[in-house]
Amino acid sequence: MSADYHQGFNDRSIETSDGLALHVRIYGEHLPGQPVVCLPGLTRNSRDFHQLALILSQSANPSKVVTIDSRGRGLSDRDPDKSRYTLAVEALDVIAVLDALAIDRAAFIGTSRGGLILHLLAVSHPERLAAVVLNDIGPVIEVGGLKQIQAYLGRERQPKDFDEAALLLKQVHGPGFPALAAQDWRDMADAIYREIDGKIVADFDSAIAEQFRAADLEQPLPDLWASFEAFAGVPLMAIRGETSRLLSAETLAEMGGRHPALASMTATGQGHAPVLHLDGIAERILEFIAPLRG
């Protein structure tokens, strides 16, 4: 991993209501004000947000940033009960982290599955949401994008080192991410993979991928517009990857129609899900959360 990868944050372990240990990173731990809490995607972890968290916690008007490894991902415990890898359980885990860190309210950034968790929290715990950034996710999920993820999870190869991991990622995702440079692919490899027992492996419980691959995508998907309406009183930002197959431009436009104060942007040259520290996106997020800093 790159030399600065373990700098700029403190590690914490927080116990869930059912006894699992969740790994949490805290950037700018002693900064005052409402923090920013980052929730990663289906098989991703807190390392996805490292560069963004450094920017947010070291800016001229900095925020404390908390990034969470959901159960079964990253350095968090794998769940012996695989049936508990659900949005509802993971939403409760987020509340457990907030309570353990004495965070009453926060701005949240949710990438993909993390954004779906925020849809649930908007209904169940709206008082905890000071602001929300949805990264390439919304109330309508395109089946084509889900099938693309299914296919990718079904053909993963084990790289021999992190350079090969970066090359494999570029081979699979490169057409949808022309904006990424060589170092960006290496950073992505560092975020997705971890060396365990001398092997470079994808850093999540394989049961999560198995569940997703087994999902019947021919069945109708849940309608999340009612949950989206719960964001009505919350400052909301939505980011869409220009080539995303999961969040359509039409859905993004409809989100703006239903939440007139929505701040939206398209990440040029990126797909699902945009890398948030590139191409001025972090600066837009800083502007969006600035009112929370007073």
Side-chain angles (χ1 to χ4, degrees), residues 11-275:
D11 295 296
R12 288 283 299 274
S13 180
I14 293 173
E15 187 172 321
T16 66
S17 60
D18 55 353
L20 295 186
L22 297 183
H23 176 255
V24 173
R25 287 180 169 187
I26 306 177
Y27 297 75
E29 184 163 13
H30 301 296
L31 289 170
Q34 290 180 344
V36 178
V37 177
C38 300
L39 309 180
L42 174 70
T43 60
R44 307 293 277 264
N45 59 72
S46 61
R47 297 194 297 275
D48 267 349
F49 298 104
H50 176 66
Q51 291 90 341
L52 175 68
L54 289 177
I55 294 169
L56 299 183
S57 63
Q58 298 176 8
S59 70
N61 193 17
S63 296
K64 177 165 71 174
V65 180
V66 177
T67 65
I68 302 173
D69 288 352
S70 300
R71 62 175 62 209
R73 290 86 161 178
L75 299 181
S76 290
D77 284 348
R78 276 44 178 163
D79 197 328
D81 181 355
K82 309 306 181 184
S83 70
R84 292 181 62 79
Y85 289 133
T86 67
L87 290 170
V89 170
E90 290 162 28
L92 291 175
D93 289 347
V94 173
I95 297 301
V97 170
L98 297 181
D99 291 346
L101 298 179
I103 297 173
D104 293 328
R105 281 166 58 82
F108 288 84
I109 301 172
T111 293
S112 194
R113 185 179 180 90
L116 295 179
I117 290 172
L118 291 174
H119 278 72
L120 297 188
L121 293 179
V123 175
S124 64
H125 293 82
E127 74 284 356
R128 311 303 284 264
L129 308 182
V132 166
V133 178
L134 299 175
N135 183 21
D136 212 58
I137 195 68
V140 177
I141 304 170
E142 301 299 322
V143 173
L146 294 175
K147 288 182 177 179
Q148 185 179 39
I149 295 171
Q150 276 188 333
Y152 168 67
L153 291 176
R155 65 171 186 263
E156 284 187 299
R157 292 159 52 190
Q158 183 178 308
K160 67 177 185 297
D161 56 32
F162 283 96
D163 287 335
E164 185 178 24
L167 179 60
L168 292 174
L169 288 171
K170 184 176 181 179
Q171 288 174 350
V172 174
H173 301 292
F177 284 85
L180 269 59
Q183 185 59 49
D184 300 323
W185 292 110
R186 176 54 196 258
D187 290 342
M188 188 183 295
D190 285 340
I192 292 175
Y193 293 92
R194 182 157 58 101
E195 183 174 349
I196 301 177
D197 297 330
K199 297 179 180 179
I200 309 301
V201 298
D203 201 8
F204 60 90
D205 189 336
S206 60
I208 296 169
E210 291 166 6
Q211 287 179 355
F212 193 84
R213 288 198 303 266
D216 182 0
L217 298 181
E218 300 307 319
Q219 298 299 315
L221 295 173
D223 185 332
L224 296 178
W225 281 115
S227 297
F228 181 81
E229 299 294 345
F231 290 124
V234 180
L236 185 65
M237 179 178 183
I239 301 163
R240 178 181 180 267
E242 182 182 32
T243 65
S244 174
R245 294 180 59 188
L246 201 77
L247 175 64
S248 70
E250 292 76 16
T251 296
L252 182 62
E254 179 69 13
M255 291 163 67
R258 298 196 187 204
H259 194 298
L262 178 74
S264 65
M265 70 172 295
T266 298
T268 305
Q270 296 204 62
H272 182 77
V275 180

Side-chain angles (χ1 to χ4, degrees), residues 255-291:
M255 291 163 67
R258 298 196 187 204
H259 194 298
L262 178 74
S264 65
M265 70 172 295
T266 298
T268 305
Q270 296 204 62
H272 182 77
V275 180
L276 296 178
H277 63 275
L278 300 180
D279 197 29
I281 301 173
E283 289 69 26
R284 288 284 300 273
I285 293 174
L286 276 169
E287 293 173 5
F288 176 70
I289 65 174

